[in-house]
Amino acid sequence: MADHTQCGCTRRQTLRSLVGASLVLPAILSDLLGAGGATGASAEANPLAPKPPHFPPRAKRVIFLHMSGGVSHVDTFDPKPKLFADHGKTVLKNKYLTRPQWNFKRYGKSGIEVSDLLPEIGECVDDLCMIRAMKNDHGDHFEATLGVHTGSVTFTRPSIGAWVSYGLGTFNQNLPSFIVIAPQTPYAGSQVWGSNFLPAIHQGTRIVPGPEPIPNLQPRAASPEVQEMELGLLDFFNRRHLREHESDAALAARIKSFETAYSMQKEAPEAFDLSKESDATLKLYGLERGSATGFGWQCLVARRLAERGVRFVELIDSGSSNNWDAHGDMQTCAPLARNIDRPIAGLLKDLKSRGLLSDTLVVWTTEFGRTPFSALRDAKGREHHARAYSSWLAGAGVKGGTTYGRTDDYGIEIASDAMHIHDFHATILYLLGIDHTRLTFRYAGRDFRLTDVAGRVIKEVMA
């Protein structure tokens, strides 16, 4: 080992020169890569550095709310008086029309109707653009869940959060750019937040609500000095390996992930600590003080992550079971609705009161809807229905208090202004300042994008 005593460096300064003080590792990487010439761009040195959008954005960040299992559009956001009136009549080769089990009510100045299942979200309709003509490409949970997240129902592709991270980077280098809060494993598992062929640094970091949301975050070293020495040794070998593989941008990305993990030890615990939130704020989300679970906790943490610069936060309310998949009885949706209704309304109100809703895009969706008909006359449940369902947008750049698209009198088919999942993704990217046709990644000999070879920006939903 070289003798550093002759250079006037203290032992601590020597350690810091090895580890790069951990907090300034991006600068070291930038210098290393720049010296090599092959990968000198700062974006490669730090793949999470903020990148300029294609045009001025309306949204700086996204909170993406995914309700797992297929929420019935005709029982929530798509009122169908004729479905009530014609209950029991037959359509589509002896299928029986099935009326909703909840009534609808007009809310706000806009008078948009929402069912009694979600009254508190109903109170927020003047901030929502209700999309009543969504269309997915598959009627099975696994494939449809992939579709709404990745744009593909047949092949594994990067998730929308990974694409946004890749395209824009993030504001806070001490937290992941893409965080997913999911109490259970959803359909399609980690593919929902995967990066696939994009650099691994852009995949989502899953958080599980509970006393330890991020396992193994607390350092196990005996002291900060020992941890510095350990990281210094790791960084020494990483830097040597990087010099031998200067053209490997993925290696720089992986080293950046180590640096982010180290930084999270300091910032993440504070982001997940709700102890300083006021009683009024906790009540807004329906949370009891000290609680570390439930959708209210997820929504409040999402607000805290958004205001701390996380680019894309996804919340998943349930997993691949005990969800909105109400084949047997639609009443199983009642507790699921109570779980999300106040927290989502609280999130919208909280973001608005803090001035965050003006540049935060809130997306609410599910993988598909439910059939407005059943094979049995007295059926209490509904089947999968990907041909037409509802989603909504709120916040940055969105025209609140409006509806887009229309289904037929029973909610079976789209009658006008369909929004395919590719259009949905293209519109979200547009609000972030991204041209979906230009956000590409070359893999296996072709340029891939979130919207494949389709997608159109629906400007009618924008203010």
Side-chain angles (χ1 to χ4, degrees):
M1 182 175 291
D3 183 3
H4 296 282
T5 59
Q6 302 303 316
C7 68
C9 299
T10 66
R11 176 177 176 277
R12 187 171 184 81
Q13 289 171 329
T14 302
L15 284 172
R16 286 189 177 278
S17 70
L18 278 173
V19 77
S22 295
L23 299 177
V24 295
L25 184 54
I28 294 175
L29 285 174
S30 179
D31 182 64
L32 284 170
L33 293 171
T39 56
S42 61
E44 291 180 341
N46 180 5
L48 294 182
K51 303 179 184 69
H54 296 141
F55 44 81
R58 305 183 187 205
K60 292 181 179 179
R61 65 193 74 81
V62 175
I63 298 177
F64 192 96
L65 311 171
H66 178 70
M67 308 297 106
S68 187
V71 179
S72 172
H73 54 304
V74 295
D75 291 280
T76 53
F77 300 120
D78 195 3
K80 295 297 170 189
K82 198 168 175 57
L83 187 59
F84 282 88
D86 292 348
H87 174 75
K89 292 183 178 181
T90 57
V91 291
L92 302 176
K93 298 181 180 180
N94 298 321
K95 300 290 187 182
Y96 296 93
L97 291 172
T98 307
R99 60 156 288 168
Q101 298 182 28
W102 297 271
N103 292 317
F104 281 74
K105 175 184 173 182
R106 295 188 181 276
Y107 288 90
K109 294 180 180 178
S110 60
I112 294 173
E113 292 182 82
V114 176
S115 87
D116 294 340
L117 196 59
L118 297 166
E120 298 206 42
I121 293 177
E123 297 288 351
C124 299
V125 291
D126 287 342
D127 291 314
L128 311 184
C129 176
M130 198 71 68
I131 302 165
R132 289 176 169 165
M134 284 286 294
K135 179 178 174 57
N136 207 327
D137 287 331
H138 209 288
D140 287 344
H141 293 293
F142 185 101
E143 291 85 351
T145 299
L146 279 184
V148 82
H149 283 90
T150 74
S152 173
V153 300
T154 53
F155 300 101
T156 303
R157 294 285 186 265
S159 69
I160 182 172
W163 277 111
V164 170
S165 172
Y166 167 70
L168 293 176
T170 193
F171 301 109
N172 188 337
Q173 302 300 303
N174 296 331
L175 291 170
S177 58
F178 175 22
I179 292 179
V180 180
I181 309 179
Q184 290 94 35
T185 304
Y187 297 109
S190 61
Q191 294 177 69
V192 166
W193 55 81
S195 58
N196 195 250
F197 49 69
L198 294 178
I201 190 67
H202 300 296
Q203 72 180 13
T205 298
R206 182 190 176 191
I207 304 300
V208 179
E212 191 180 13
I214 305 178
N216 305 314
L217 190 62
Q218 296 301 319
R220 298 184 179 182
S223 67
E225 287 75 19
V226 170
Q227 186 184 31
E228 252 188 281
M229 292 178 66
E230 292 173 344
L231 290 173
L233 183 62
L234 175 65
D235 185 59
F236 173 79
F237 287 111
N238 280 342
R239 291 165 61 190
R240 188 170 71 178
H241 188 62
L242 185 61
R243 290 192 192 99
E244 298 170 359
H245 301 83
E246 290 179 334
S247 63
D248 187 353
L251 177 58
R254 187 166 187 178
I255 294 174
K256 170 59 183 171
S257 72
F258 294 155
E259 189 260 345
T260 301
Y262 177 87
S263 301
M264 283 173 65
Q265 293 180 2
K266 191 171 185 179
E267 190 149 344
E270 188 275 334
F272 293 103
D273 180 9
L274 309 186
S275 63
K276 295 181 181 179
E277 295 287 349
S278 70
D279 290 339
T281 298
L282 296 176
K283 183 179 179 181
L284 193 63
Y285 289 85
L287 268 178
E288 294 184 6
R289 185 164 295 281
S291 175
T293 58
F295 203 69
W297 183 89
Q298 291 177 245
C299 285
L300 180 49
V301 168
R303 187 220 81 202
R304 292 175 63 84
L305 293 172
E307 64 187 350
R308 283 160 177 77
V310 176
R311 180 73 76 172
F312 199 102
V313 181
E314 176 167 3
L315 309 183
I316 303 177
D317 71 325
S318 54
S320 57
S321 60
N322 300 318
N323 54 38
W324 296 83
D325 193 26
H327 291 280
D329 189 347
M330 286 301 298
Q331 285 296 328
T332 60
C333 295
L336 293 163
R338 286 193 295 272
N339 181 50
I340 68 165
D341 190 31
R342 175 173 291 186
I344 291 176
L347 174 63
L348 293 170
K349 293 172 183 176
D350 199 12
L351 289 170
K352 192 172 184 177
S353 70
R354 295 169 187 268
L356 286 168
L357 192 60
S358 62
D359 58 9
T360 301
L361 177 63
V362 181
V363 180
W364 184 98
T365 192
T366 183
E367 65 261 38
F368 44 58
R370 316 298 299 184
T371 55
F373 51 79
S374 301
L376 302 175
R377 186 187 295 272
D378 59 351
K380 295 181 179 180
R382 300 187 187 277
E383 309 304 319
H384 303 180
H385 197 67
R387 286 143 58 183
Y389 65 104
S390 297
S391 299
W392 53 257
L393 304 173
V398 172
K399 190 186 296 183
T402 61
T403 62
Y404 180 83
R406 185 174 61 85
T407 55
D408 62 26
D409 288 343
Y410 300 127
I412 299 173
E413 302 287 354
I414 293 174
S416 66
D417 297 325
M419 186 180 284
H420 187 272
I421 52 173
H422 291 322
D423 307 328
F424 193 55
H425 291 156
T427 303
I428 292 170
L429 293 181
Y430 184 90
L431 289 166
L432 287 163
I434 299 173
D435 179 344
H436 71 105
T437 66
R438 294 168 59 192
L439 181 63
T440 63
F441 189 89
R442 192 153 191 86
Y443 174 73
R446 63 162 282 196
D447 290 332
F448 284 87
R449 69 187 205 214
L450 174 63
T451 52
D452 194 39
V453 294
R456 61 193 179 95
V457 175
I458 310 298
K459 293 190 178 180
E460 290 85 345
V461 305
M462 300 176 193

